[in-house]
Amino acid sequence: MRVILGVGGGIAAYKSASLLRRFTEAGHTVTVIPTRAADEFVGRATWEALSGQKVPDGIFDDVDKVNHVRLGQQADLIVVAPATADLMARAAAGMADDLLTNTLLVAACPVFMAPAMHTEMWSHPATRDNVGKLRSRGVTVMDPASGRLTGTDSGPGRLPEPEDIYDAALRVVESPAGPLTGSSADSLAGKRVVITAGGTLEAIDPVRFLGNRSSGKQGVALAEAAAHAGADVHFIAARMDVPPPAGVRLTTVESALELREATIAAAAAADVVIMAAAVADFRPAELSGSKIKKRDDGDDPVIKLVRNPDILAELVTQRDQGRLPKSTVIIGFAAETGDDGSDVLGYARQKLQSKGSDLLVLNEVGEGVVFGQDESAVHILSRSTADVEQAAGSKNDIASAVIARAAAEMDGR
Ligand code: CTP
């Protein structure tokens, strides 16, 4: 396979030398196109020695070979690693101001990008938009890894390990729909999907709150899978540990009551509602207007809790009463453990009945499982069949399975 390895100007450029080796050792012919900024980090001699190929110079060198068009046209795969914020911005804007961006503009082959940058840059709305644009045009943009960055700071933004980039890039060539394989590219074309995610935060006073450990990762993966399936996604985010997905309509909320209001409003125009948010079942009965003080002369405070509305159950009631279209597909999530009274599927089946949703995605939980983890396994229960579907793997794999199931549920109506 003819591979182009585009190297952006980031400190992680040195890791691309290992990535290059992976490709050449597997027998692929790799041409490296570093940006000018990448030259500041790794010398061209390194790329030439490891690839056994001349590194093409700029657009105006070897003009007779028409490099700026030929390289992109002939490639079977383009991998950009590290993809810096600047490089993705130029690619998203369709600029052609150096050989790499020219090549990206003429490429007809799969394009794969592995970003690396500081967390603030990755989370910035400009970068989120650019990533969303690139993804919507079929470019596969990996999520960066989390961990130590260039300085003493850490967070999402690290270049994923070369072997992970290699494996993911090859999967894109093998299955051009990208890593989100379960949901076909247009199974939700034109459909409006509302997804809630993260954990609600219930204020006690102006500085304290009750919260939960939901990371929001599963909701983000669902939004990306739904967008990949062609849906118009409205993402309602409570508190999350990860940035919201790119290229979706975003509403942010804090409490269960705010989430309820936003979700009920959004559901009116939705074909599918997915309640992936971890909604606090209780909130403090009273919100103290000032910070609750510790007092040595009195009793410690007692915080009385009251029940929050069950948003999922309310959506179903609204649909039953005709305030939402009958065709709206409503999907809930549940975290359960089995015990002496019943096994986990028994409890999930009871929950599906009591909530009345069309599907219930069941996470079997134990200590340290599910919350914040990258891999998990779920059972998908449906009200219309006794069959239980299993899905396991990364949150993306699970999201794809849920979205594919949601699309099938819509077809059956
Ligand atoms: N949910 C909701 N409103 C609530 C509580 C939960 O809409 N007030 C939704 C969640 O978004 C999720 C599903 O209901 O889709 C989970 O149901 P829940 O009964 O909260 O599940 P568990 O947390 O597993 O419940 P419990 O502690 O009651 O077993």
Side-chain angles (χ1 to χ4, degrees), residues 275-277 279-281 308-312 332-336 351 355:
M275 285 295 303
V279 189
D281 289 321
N308 270 326
D310 187 323
I311 306 166
L312 182 60
F333 272 71
E336 286 288 352
K351 184 160 283 178
K355 298 260 185 181

Side-chain angles (χ1 to χ4, degrees), residues 1-260:
M1 189 164 65
R2 268 171 300 197
V3 179
I4 290 193
L5 176 60
V7 183
I11 186 76
Y14 75 91
K15 286 194 189 172
S16 288
S18 309
L19 179 61
L20 169 56
R21 280 208 95 118
R22 296 293 301 247
F23 278 109
T24 52
E25 278 168 8
H28 302 296
T29 305
V30 186
T31 303
V32 181
I33 308 183
T35 62
R36 284 281 159 222
D39 291 344
E40 300 286 334
F41 294 93
V42 179
R44 292 187 170 219
T46 303
W47 306 126
E48 292 194 345
L50 290 176
S51 68
Q53 305 285 328
K54 188 174 169 337
V55 169
D57 268 315
I59 311 166
F60 299 106
D61 297 295
D62 295 330
V63 174
D64 54 320
K65 296 194 187 124
V66 204
N67 271 341
H68 72 290
V69 177
R70 186 181 55 86
L71 290 164
Q73 280 175 338
Q74 292 178 348
D76 301 304
L77 169 69
I78 300 182
V79 178
V80 181
T84 59
D86 173 71
L87 183 49
M88 287 197 294
R90 289 189 287 127
M95 289 173 69
D97 53 352
D98 63 8
L99 187 57
L100 181 52
T101 46
N102 265 275
T103 304
L104 288 168
L105 267 189
V106 293
C109 63
V111 176
F112 184 91
M113 295 191 174
M117 66 197 72
H118 276 272
T119 303
E120 293 83 348
M121 292 184 175
W122 175 248
S123 312
H124 192 284
T127 308
R128 311 303 312 147
D129 279 355
N130 292 330
V131 170
K133 261 190 214 153
L134 291 166
R135 284 181 175 158
S136 70
R137 292 179 198 148
V139 174
T140 303
V141 183
M142 243 182 141
D143 279 335
S146 253
R148 179 86 191 267
L149 301 172
T150 316
T152 52
D153 46 347
S154 64
R158 264 173 77 91
L159 185 73
E161 290 309 314
E163 54 271 31
D164 294 337
I165 301 175
Y166 177 79
D167 290 345
L170 284 193
R171 278 206 298 275
V172 170
V173 183
E174 283 154 16
S175 131
L180 305 169
T181 41
S183 48
S184 76
D186 58 0
S187 58
L188 286 178
K191 301 294 178 198
R192 291 160 302 179
V193 177
V194 171
I195 297 170
T196 69
T200 65
L201 182 157
E202 310 297 325
I204 298 170
D205 67 18
V207 292
R208 302 183 181 95
F209 60 86
L210 299 173
N212 64 63
R213 292 187 198 276
S214 175
S215 65
K217 284 182 186 169
Q218 185 64 75
V220 171
L222 283 163
E224 286 172 350
H228 175 79
D232 180 359
V233 179
H234 185 166
F235 191 77
I236 306 182
R239 191 210 64 80
M240 306 205 301
D241 293 336
V242 291
V248 301
R249 174 163 171 211
L250 175 67
T251 301
T252 53
V253 297
E254 279 197 351
S255 65
L257 292 181
E258 286 174 17
L259 179 65
R260 173 185 170 275

Side-chain angles (χ1 to χ4, degrees), residues 212-215 217 241 278 335 365-366 368-374 395:
N212 64 63
R213 292 187 198 276
S214 175
S215 65
K217 284 182 186 169
D241 293 336
V365 286
V369 186
V370 180
F371 287 113
Q373 304 276 309
D374 289 325
K395 303 234 168 193

Side-chain angles (χ1 to χ4, degrees), residues 335-349:
E336 286 288 352
T337 54
D339 62 19
D340 296 345
S342 172
D343 68 0
V344 68
L345 280 174
Y347 282 123
R349 179 77 48 204

